[in-house]
């Protein structure tokens, strides 16, 4: 059955969204039993359903944001990709920030369906950036956190970290893989952090012990970092410097795939035989490649790690900006990912 795309103006209330998602859940077809039991070190993928795949693609934004020309291509690619992997696909277009939150809240609340599912997937294709987190009194001076956000068509931000956390807290998805694909820019808007002359460092302060011992004379720059991180006073601190920290959103049993590196733009293709965001094109091609191999019985399962490697290779070799007489000409971008999978994820 063809997946219908629901547009934002058609579902303006929570009740309307709830009705759409409930109807889809009730009409879901079993994926077919997998006769192979999960091996040691594998996620169990022999449940009744593969899982729910929520796809959100935004095109038409309020000014000053421009339309995303490849939105419909993104929708087509991702609907086909996840349908072929036997997910129950729910696709939405042109949602506001509030509607994105509502869709994900309602999707996270489908406990009974998640209980019978192998995993969960979410795709968001929209404008995005890394926003500065508001400073509070408990924050050490000179330390500023950023969170990646995607935007609704009303230009309201939704933090990627909160999207991931929402599904990490679903009881019936505990110890099950949760996949997130983010086709959006990760640039940093102008602000206080922009005066930093260094690189972004991905740090979770809770991972550090209270005392840091540095023995090597070559490590002189490091005390300044940790002193500022923990609010220690030292004569070596240059108060004109600022540390930017991108707070990593990954949780247990989660995979997050981005269409670009931190602080970089994301790109799409508009005039080729296959169009859409670079990362989503690479996902489509990688899954299609391994599905064909599965049908030809040259492999007996699709390893998600193989899919990720194929995606990164595809974009690196085949994608390049073609805007002559601009600074973007020949520019490339990288598909990047982080995961906290504790087992292997095989689609069979």
């Amino acid at each position: 059955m063809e997946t219908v795309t629901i547009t934002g103006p058609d579902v303006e209330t929570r009740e309307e969204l709830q009705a759409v998602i409930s109807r889809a859940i009730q009409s879901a077809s079993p994926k077919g039993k997998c006769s192979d039991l999960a091996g040691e070190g594998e996620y169990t993928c022999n449940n009744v359903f593969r899982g729910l795949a929520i796809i959100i693609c935004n095109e038409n934004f309020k000014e000053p944001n421009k339309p995303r020309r490849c939105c419909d291509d993104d929708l087509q690619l991702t609907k086909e990709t996840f349908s072929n992997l036997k997910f129950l696909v729910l696709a939405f277009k042109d949602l506001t920030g509030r509607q994105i939150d509502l869709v994900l809240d309602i999707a996270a609340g489908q406990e009974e369906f998640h209980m019978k599912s192998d995993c969960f997937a979410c795709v968001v294709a929209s404008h995005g950036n890394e926003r500065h987190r508001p400073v509070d009194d408990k924050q050490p001076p000179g330390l500023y956190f950023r969170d990646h956000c995607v935007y609704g068509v009303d230009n309201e931000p939704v933090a990627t970290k909160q999207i991931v956390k929402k599904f990490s807290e679903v009881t019936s998805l505990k110890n099950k893989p949760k996949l997130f694909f983010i086709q959006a820019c990760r640039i940093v808007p102008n602000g206080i952090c922009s005066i930093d002359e260094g690189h972004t460092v991905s740090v979770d302060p809770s991972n550090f012990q209270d005392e840091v011992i540095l023995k090597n004379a070559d490590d002189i720059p490091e005390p300044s970092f940790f002193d500022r991180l923990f609010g220690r006073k030292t004569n070596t601190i240059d108060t004109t410097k600022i540390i930017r920290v991108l707070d990593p959103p990954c949780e247990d049993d989660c995979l997050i795939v981005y269409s670009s590196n931190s602080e970089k733009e994301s790109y799409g293709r508009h005039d080729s035989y296959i169009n859409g965001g670079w990362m989503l094109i690479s996902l489509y091609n990688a899954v299609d490649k391994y599905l064909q191999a599965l049908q030809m019985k040259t492999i007996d399962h699709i390893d998600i790690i193989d899919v990720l490697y194929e995606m990164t290779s595809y974009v690196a070799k085949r994608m390049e900006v073609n805007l002559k007489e601009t600074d973007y000409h020949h520019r490339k971008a990288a598909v990047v990912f982080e995961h906290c999978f504790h087992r292997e994820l095989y689609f069979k």
Side-chain angles (χ1 to χ4, degrees), residues 75-214:
L75 279 165
Q76 187 60 39
L77 288 173
T78 49
K79 287 195 292 186
E80 187 171 341
T81 297
F82 288 95
S83 293
N84 288 342
L85 288 173
K86 302 180 182 179
F87 280 86
L88 170 62
V89 177
L90 283 173
F92 298 88
K93 178 181 178 181
D94 284 349
L95 299 186
T96 64
R98 173 180 169 276
Q99 287 175 318
I100 292 174
D101 273 332
L102 283 175
V103 165
L104 297 176
D105 279 343
I106 296 168
Q110 306 304 310
E111 291 276 3
E112 184 177 351
F113 184 81
H114 295 316
M115 185 69 70
K116 299 176 182 178
S117 299
D118 297 334
C119 55
F120 169 80
C122 177
V123 178
V124 181
S126 188
H127 288 310
N129 62 21
E130 293 177 355
R131 287 170 56 89
H132 311 310
R133 188 184 298 175
V135 178
D136 58 43
D137 295 337
K138 298 179 181 179
Q139 194 163 302
L143 179 64
Y144 294 87
F145 286 96
R146 297 200 315 271
D147 294 296
H148 182 259
C149 296
V150 293
Y151 283 83
V153 292
D154 57 351
N155 298 331
E156 286 299 313
V158 179
T160 301
K161 186 180 183 72
Q162 294 306 314
I163 295 174
V164 175
K165 184 178 180 182
K166 195 185 300 288
F167 291 93
S168 296
E169 294 176 346
V170 175
T171 302
S172 53
L173 286 174
K174 185 176 178 59
N175 298 321
K176 293 183 178 182
K178 294 163 279 287
L179 296 76
F180 301 88
F181 298 86
I182 309 297
Q183 175 72 46
C185 287
R186 300 178 69 187
I187 56 176
V188 181
N190 292 331
I192 189 167
C193 294
S194 62
I195 68 173
D196 180 25
E197 298 173 358
H199 295 286
T200 299
V201 184
S202 182
V203 174
D204 180 355
S206 64
N207 288 339
F208 290 97
Q209 297 179 357
D210 188 51
E211 293 296 330
V212 178
I213 301 175
L214 299 172

Side-chain angles (χ1 to χ4, degrees), residues 211-309:
E211 293 296 330
V212 178
I213 301 175
L214 299 172
K215 300 179 181 179
N216 196 320
D218 293 336
D219 291 328
I220 290 175
E222 298 295 338
S224 174
F225 173 86
F226 288 110
D227 285 331
R228 270 183 279 168
L229 186 62
F230 297 111
R232 301 188 183 115
K233 293 184 178 181
T234 171
N235 294 330
T236 63
I237 292 181
D238 180 356
T239 56
T240 65
K241 302 294 183 182
I242 292 176
I243 294 176
R244 295 177 294 172
V245 179
L246 176 62
D247 198 4
C250 209
E251 302 271 353
D252 282 350
D253 304 301
C254 288
L255 162 71
I256 307 173
V257 185
Y258 294 101
S259 54
S260 68
N261 279 308
S262 176
E263 301 189 9
K264 303 300 181 183
E265 293 96 345
S266 181
Y267 300 106
R269 176 176 283 179
H270 309 288
D271 55 359
S272 181
Y273 70 98
I274 181 170
N275 298 316
W278 287 5
M279 185 268 286
L280 298 180
I281 291 175
S282 72
L283 173 62
Y284 172 86
N285 278 278
V287 170
D288 184 63
K289 172 183 175 178
Y290 288 112
L291 281 172
Q292 291 186 40
L294 198 61
Q295 292 170 357
M296 296 174 64
K297 298 184 178 180
T298 56
I299 59 174
D300 60 5
H301 63 261
I302 298 176
D303 187 338
I304 191 63
I305 297 299
D306 288 340
V307 171
L308 295 172
Y309 289 158

Side-chain angles (χ1 to χ4, degrees), residues 305-319:
I305 297 299
D306 288 340
V307 171
L308 295 172
Y309 289 158
E310 182 68 24
M311 290 171 65
T312 58
S313 175
Y314 185 94
V315 171
K317 293 177 180 178
R318 303 192 183 197
M319 299 297 191

